[in-house]
Amino acid sequence: MTETFDIAIIGAGMAGSSLAAECAHHARVLLIEAEDTPGYHTTGRSAAFWHETIGGPQIYPLTAASGDWLAEHGFLSPRGGLHIGRKDHRAVAESFVAEFQAAGARIELIGRERLERIVPGLRPEWIIGAWEPECADIDVAAMHQHYLAAARKVGSVLRVRARLDGVEREGGAWSLAWSGAAGPGEARAALLVNAAGAWADGVAQLAGAAPLGVQPLRRSMVQLRVDPVPPDDLPLTLSFDEDFYFRPQGGRLWLSPHDETPDVARDAAPEELDIAMAIDRMEQAVDWKVLALERRWAGLRSFASDRLPIYGFDARCEGLFWFAGQGGFGIQTAPAAARLGAQLLLGLPRDAMTEALDAACYSPARFGSHL
C-alpha cells in the first residue's frame, strides 16, 4: 500500500531535517535520503562555525536570527573570529568593518599589537585585522540529530538508502518512487520539497521543473599537527584575500585554502594541489611548523548564481518548493531558514525569529523567465 504524506522532502541533511522538524507539528512529513546516513555529504563535512560575516550582508539577517536559538539549545561554544590583512588590505578592511557594523554585526578594526596577542607567531607583515567576538563553534552533529529527533517525535518518517527514481505530478499530488539497498518504495505527497543540496537541479529536472543553476563548489579541509600546538582559544582566522582560514580543533589545526572549485554532485574528495596551497598560505601567515598531515576531506557547497539561498515555490511547477543553494552558511542559518521555509511552505504567520527577514530576496521568482 502506498503511504500518503502532506510533504515529501528530498534530502535529510541539515536543510531537509531542520525543515522537517519545523513542519512536522503542522503536517505529516516524509524525509527521503539517498545515503545510508543522513548528513553524509555537506552537513557531515562542515567546518562547524557560526560567523556573522560569512555569506555577506544579505545573509547576515538569517545568521543573526539563528544565533539566539543556537545558543539557547546549547549548540554554540565561544571561539571568536578574526580577518587578517597586510598593509595593502587597509581599505578593504575598513570597508568590510563599516559594512557589517551598519548591518548590526559586532565587529571592530584592530592593529598589529592586538593581532600579536590573539595569534601567536603571526608574521610581521600582517598588520590589520577585523575582530568578531561573537563567532562561535557549532556542534553540527548534535544540532542535526536534534532536528531529526524532533521531526521523528511528532510523526515524520525517514527513509534512508532511498535513491529517487521517479517523480510525477498527478491528481494534485506527487507520486514518488525510489530504489536502494533497503529495497524499492513509493509514496504520495501533496507537496514536494527540493532540499537536495548539490543534487538540487537534478531533483528539479526529475520533477519536470527547470533547473535554477545551483552550482556545487568544492571546499577542502585538512587536519594538521603543528608546533607549537595551537592554543584552545585561537580564533577562527581568515585572510582578507579569502585564500585560507584555520581554527584549532582538539589540539590540532583545521586548515582550508578557502577554495571554491566548480564540481559536480558527487562524493567529493580533496585535490593534492589544494592541500599544498593551503599549507603554503598558512606558512606565509604564521611561523608554525607542520609536523604531520593527519586528515583531509572535501565537501560541496552549493550556490545559486547570486550566492543567495533559494526558499520558495517554483514559479512554474505546481507543488514544488525549493529549499536549496545554502552555500557555506547553511548550518549557521538553519534555524531561521527552516522556520521561514515552513512558514512559506504551509502559509503560516511570521514570528519573532523571521519577522525581519525579506523572503522575496530568497524566492525562486527572482530568476525570472530567462532560465
Side-chain angles (χ1 to χ4, degrees), residues 127-162:
I127 63 168
I128 193 165
W131 171 246
E132 299 178 56
E134 299 299 317
C135 180
D137 295 342
I138 302 178
D139 189 338
V140 176
M143 180 182 168
H144 189 212
Q145 288 303 311
H146 167 89
Y147 276 129
L148 289 169
R152 187 168 54 247
K153 185 177 180 180
V154 286
S156 293
V157 174
L158 171 64
R159 295 282 182 261
V160 296
R161 299 185 294 278

Side-chain angles (χ1 to χ4, degrees), residues 206-331:
L206 194 60
L212 295 184
V214 178
Q215 173 65 59
L217 302 177
R218 189 175 68 249
R219 170 63 53 87
S220 307
M221 188 76 71
V222 294
Q223 177 175 297
L224 303 175
R225 183 160 53 88
V226 298
D227 181 23
V229 174
D232 290 339
D233 61 353
L234 183 75
L236 169 68
T237 302
L238 312 93
S239 162
F240 275 117
D241 280 332
E242 297 187 343
D243 60 358
F244 71 85
Y245 64 81
F246 55 75
R247 75 169 181 86
Q249 177 67 28
R252 300 298 191 260
L253 192 77
W254 280 12
L255 168 70
S256 172
H258 215 140
D259 49 332
E260 290 191 343
T261 307
D263 211 321
V264 296
R266 61 169 179 154
D267 189 355
E271 301 285 344
E272 290 297 329
L273 179 59
D274 293 327
I275 301 306
M277 285 193 302
I279 294 173
D280 179 65
R281 291 166 183 172
M282 181 209 74
E283 291 178 333
Q284 291 181 45
V286 291
D287 62 4
W288 308 336
K289 182 179 180 181
V290 176
L291 301 179
L293 195 167
E294 297 182 334
R295 287 178 59 206
R296 67 188 79 193
W297 67 97
L300 297 177
R301 308 157 78 249
S302 303
F303 288 92
S305 58
D306 59 5
R307 298 181 71 87
L308 297 179
I310 310 171
Y311 307 142
F313 282 103
D314 191 276
R316 302 172 190 81
C317 188
E318 183 183 3
L320 175 63
F321 187 92
W322 287 80
F323 199 65
Q326 290 96 333
F329 46 80
I331 304 296

Side-chain angles (χ1 to χ4, degrees), residues 20-21 23-29 149-156:
C23 290
H25 288 281
H26 310 280
R28 188 158 190 253
V29 178
R152 187 168 54 247
K153 185 177 180 180
V154 286
S156 293

